[in-house]
Amino acid sequence: MLTPSLEDYLEEIYRFSLSLDTVRVTDISKRLKVALPSVTKALYKLRDESYINYERYGEIQLTNKGKEFGCYLVTRNQLLQEFLSLIGSKCSFAAEAEAMEHYLSTATIDAIKTLVEFMRSNPSCLNAYNTFINIKKIE
Ligand code: CA
């Protein structure tokens, strides 16, 4: 089990790995607004848990385990943002998903996933829900 903070590191490394050939400590540091020594410390922990390969000042390479879990983390974040949009929340989707993602159980994430898939494949239900929300606003 990774801590929420280490999950965020892995999530960002995975995101970078989708668009960059080489992920560097400075990229992570800038993105997460964390000082370099803290990033390095986190990287060693992720390395010890076999999520990445990393030597000091070197490139960060995701292992298969890291790719798999990193992909899950990014997907989970997107799912929660989509869920918040779907239920008509007026929150900041990115910030709220960030706050929710580490604390929901896998069971709840799975249930949310099913609901989002259901709404996607049944636009009439989503429309009925949106109409209901709009009526509530008028009342
Ligand atoms: Ca995150």
Side-chain angles (χ1 to χ4, degrees), residues 8 11 77 98 101-102:
D8 281 339
E11 189 184 334
N77 185 279
E98 201 56 52
E101 62 188 2
H102 307 292

Side-chain angles (χ1 to χ4, degrees), residues 7-20 23 28 31-32 62 70-71 73-78 81 98 101:
E7 282 190 353
D8 281 339
Y9 278 104
L10 185 60
E11 189 184 334
E12 290 311 326
I13 293 166
Y14 183 79
R15 266 202 194 102
F16 273 119
S17 78
L18 296 176
S19 57
L20 297 176
V23 187
I28 308 296
R31 176 73 62 87
L32 290 174
L62 286 161
C71 179
L73 294 173
V74 168
T75 309
R76 183 179 68 181
N77 185 279
Q78 286 165 350
Q81 293 203 39
E98 201 56 52
E101 62 188 2

